[in-house]
Amino acid sequence: MTDRVREKLIQLRNEADAAVTRAETAEAKVKQQDQDLLERENEIKSLGVRLQDTEDRLDVAEAQLKETTDRLRQLDVKAEQAERQVVVAEKERDKWEQKYEEVETKYREVKAELADLERQMEGL
C-alpha cells in the first residue's frame, strides 16, 4: 500500500507541478496581455490627442476658408462694379468722340466757308 500511496503522491506532485507551471504560464500571459492593453490604451490616448489637434487645425482652416471666400465674394462684387463703371466710361468716351467728330466736321465746314468768303471779298 505504501507503494501505491507513494505513486499516488508522486502523481499528485506531478499534477501539482504541472498545475503550478500552467498557473505561471497563465500569469505570464495575463501580465503580457495587461502590458499590451496598457500600450493600446496609451496609443488610443495618443491618437485622441492627435485627433483633437487635427480637428483644431481643421476648424482654423475652415475659418480661414470662410474668410477667404467672403473676401473673394467682395472682390467679385467690386470687380463687377468696376466693369460696369468701365462700360459707362467707354460709352461716355464714345459719346464725346462722336461730339468731337461732329464739332471737327463743323469747324472744317466753317473754315471752308470762311476761306470761300475771303476769296469772294478779295475779288471785290
Side-chain angles (χ1 to χ4, degrees):
M1 178 116 145
T2 49
D3 286 342
R4 278 180 89 188
V5 171
R6 280 188 191 155
E7 286 179 18
K8 188 66 170 173
L9 190 57
I10 291 172
Q11 180 186 358
L12 289 174
R13 280 186 186 154
N14 288 340
E15 287 177 9
D17 288 344
V20 167
T21 302
R22 284 195 317 270
E24 288 173 349
T25 303
E27 284 177 1
K29 284 182 182 179
V30 167
K31 199 175 205 181
Q32 182 60 45
Q33 288 175 346
D34 286 345
Q35 182 63 34
D36 291 346
L37 180 61
L38 181 62
E39 289 175 10
R40 297 296 179 253
E41 287 173 349
N42 288 336
E43 187 177 335
I44 289 170
K45 286 178 186 176
S46 174
L47 290 173
V49 169
R50 287 179 55 198
L51 177 61
Q52 184 61 47
D53 181 54
T54 302
E55 287 175 346
D56 292 345
R57 286 187 286 134
L58 176 62
D59 290 343
V60 169
E62 286 175 341
Q64 289 173 342
L65 176 62
K66 183 185 180 309
E67 183 180 323
T68 302
T69 302
D70 291 344
R71 276 196 242 144
L72 179 60
R73 284 186 188 132
Q74 291 172 358
L75 289 174
D76 281 345
V77 168
K78 287 181 181 180
E80 288 174 6
Q81 290 172 346
E83 287 174 8
R84 286 193 292 271
Q85 289 174 348
V86 166
V87 168
V88 167
E90 287 174 345
K91 286 181 181 179
E92 188 71 21
R93 181 202 63 207
D94 292 345
K95 193 163 63 171
W96 280 107
E97 284 178 354
Q98 184 179 357
K99 284 184 181 182
Y100 171 78
E101 289 172 5
E102 291 172 2
V103 168
E104 189 176 6
T105 302
K106 283 185 181 182
Y107 170 75
R108 287 186 185 139
E109 290 173 359
V110 168
K111 188 175 178 182
E113 286 179 23
L114 181 60
D116 285 343
L117 185 59
E118 284 178 354
R119 272 182 271 163
Q120 288 175 2
M121 291 183 86
E122 285 176 3
L124 289 179

